[in-house]
Amino acid sequence: MSGLIPKPASFEARAGEFVLDADTEITASDAAASVARRLQADLAAATGFALPVGGGVPTRAGIALEIDPESPAEGFRLEVAPGGVRIAGGSAAGLFYGAMAFRQQLGPDAFRRAALPGRRWRAEASVTVDAPRFAWRGFLLDVARSFRPKHEVLRLIDLLALHRVNVLQLHLTDDQGWRMQIHRYPRLTEVGAWRPESQLGHGPQSTLDGRPAGGYYTHDELREIVAYAAERHIEVVPEIETPGHVRAALAAYPELGVTGGPRDVWTRYGINDDVLNTEESTVEFFRNVLDEVMEVFPSRYIGVGGDEARKTQWAADPRTQQLMAERGLETPNELQAWFVRQLDAHLTAAGRRLYGWDEVLEGPLDPGATIASWRGIRGAQVAAARGHDVVLCPDDFAYLDYPQSDAAAEPIPVGTVQTLRDVYDYEPLPADAAEALRRHLLGVQANAWSEHMDTASRVDYMVFPRLAAFAEVAWSAPGKDWPDFSSRLDGQLAIYDAIGVAYRPLSGPNPWQQRPGVPGVPRDKADRQAELAALTADLLE
């Protein structure tokens, strides 16, 4: 199957081959024209051929694209024959994935940005029929801890499209930085987007690097990211953290906190005690922030965080206790749920849906909220039983910032080992999965937290090729065949080489990818799973 990743549902090899040359014409129906232009631009860059785009039927061997309303919305049928190529998709998205599969069949050089001499462009005759298993095939990029400039995000979007990922969650705010311009509250980026230095390494032996860090996106830069992603059929879901992980916001506006100021943008990693106060004025502040977020991001889902909010400040603060009594709330967990519900109501009134981490289930929650289950599967089970839609991103499968082996050369090992095989072997819906979970599971997501990924090459190293294994979990039908995947992976690595992805070699890190002397904190998987079980023990269906 020409090394296709993710693995297609059906592939049939046939006799002969299709030859792409300077006379090849791309034709498309009106509904398929946008995908045809995208394919033209990509192939023209790699081959140097003009490849004109027209309507109707090709006059000679060419590439024809059309919408097939009988196909699944994101499904496609790719027919490659000596006399021409036909790509049909159930929607523009399905057509786009079919065009991507055709590029893969042309070989790694089809992903270059300029033509190389002496290349012949051929694809074996075949029929590929495919459609995704899950509707949500997500990837989270944390730009709060380590800011990634716009051009790097655009490059990542191209790589996500290669793997048929269709959701990019941008983690825009945290203790270490606020990355989205908010016109109404300019100090969020004037102050909150910058810190004097960053933690180097993890654990008690970590130090500070003495290097200033920061950055943020303007509204127009984010609109450009959204438009670029949409052209590749990726929805960008923004996340604004509340009520914890808010130190950068408190540095800018100390009155939002429980204990006052001044506060600095945090230079350390981990969890601190700072949380938002729950005054109505603070709720209104974040309603206003979300209004600007919704102006820029058309996504159906808007992330509001909710994870790892320590409640010690609320428990010790007389004013917070007074507010809880006035609202009929008995526990800090109920107070967090109250805060989340205020934002949920605001988003719902605007026609959007709240997206939060599974800690938001620790108190009563309105049914329209969608849950990202990261602390194992328990959050997903509870959420589904309560009628909430769910995205599975458990940290023992989906955290691509975790180490890829237990070898000493692995850079800054934080968390449990997640090998390429571990990611590939994950099954979101085991045979004993409850019917409620099967009904409410939107899909799966891989997360890349950036505390220790401070350059594009560090992101490449941690994410690839594990994202290829994730793509099979998210897209392909159940049933694993590791030798088959391994045989197809060579073709994917060749594509990475052509694009210029600094991925981790299968044999281990290159010398320049290592970080000797920078401490980490590796975790035993069984210990971590026991910890997650304890953290989610109070989640009740």
Side-chain angles (χ1 to χ4, degrees), residues 84-284:
V85 174
R86 177 179 177 267
I87 309 172
S91 67
L95 200 58
F96 176 80
Y97 301 136
M100 185 67 72
F102 174 61
R103 288 178 69 194
Q104 287 177 290
Q105 292 196 18
L106 286 173
D109 286 341
F111 292 86
R112 295 189 184 276
R113 299 290 185 90
L116 299 180
R119 297 301 192 268
R120 292 195 66 199
W121 300 95
R122 294 176 289 185
E124 64 177 312
S126 61
V127 177
T128 306
V129 180
D130 209 0
R133 181 184 185 189
F134 293 114
W136 184 299
R137 305 178 301 280
F139 180 85
L140 177 144
L141 178 65
D142 171 19
V143 295
R145 275 58 172 263
S146 294
F147 178 70
R148 303 270 49 86
K150 182 193 69 178
H151 70 275
E152 292 184 15
V153 179
L154 299 181
R155 172 183 179 269
L156 176 66
I157 288 169
D158 281 328
L159 291 169
L160 296 180
L162 169 63
H163 296 81
R164 301 183 207 161
V165 169
N166 68 346
V167 177
L168 169 60
Q169 181 177 348
L170 277 183
H171 184 75
L172 290 164
T173 72
D174 215 292
D175 297 308
Q176 297 81 13
W178 185 286
R179 306 300 179 207
M180 178 177 176
Q181 176 187 46
I182 303 295
H183 292 307
R184 185 160 182 165
Y185 304 116
R187 287 177 59 82
L188 286 172
T189 48
E190 290 172 356
V191 174
W194 313 97
R195 62 180 187 265
E197 55 188 347
S198 305
Q199 181 174 316
L200 181 61
H202 213 78
Q205 303 303 314
S206 63
T207 58
L208 292 169
D209 64 9
R211 185 179 66 180
Y216 66 92
Y217 307 105
T218 66
H219 281 200
D220 283 347
E221 287 175 322
L222 289 169
R223 289 189 177 102
E224 182 182 354
I225 288 170
V226 167
Y228 191 88
E231 193 175 67
R232 290 150 181 81
H233 301 277
I234 295 173
E235 180 179 42
V236 182
V237 173
E239 182 188 1
I240 303 294
E241 276 277 10
T242 66
H245 285 299
V246 290
R247 182 69 168 263
L250 300 186
Y253 294 95
E255 64 271 21
L256 299 173
V258 175
T259 61
R263 287 284 190 274
D264 297 323
V265 178
W266 209 29
T267 58
R268 287 285 178 175
Y269 300 134
I271 311 171
N272 66 50
D273 289 341
D274 285 316
V275 291
L276 298 172
N277 67 49
T278 60
E279 300 285 351
E280 180 57 35
S281 59
T282 298
V283 176
E284 185 63 17

Side-chain angles (χ1 to χ4, degrees), residues 409-427:
E410 211 66 63
I412 319 181
V414 177
T416 62
V417 170
Q418 291 185 20
T419 66
L420 180 68
R421 178 73 183 267
D422 290 334
V423 176
Y424 177 79
D425 283 343
Y426 177 67
E427 173 47 55

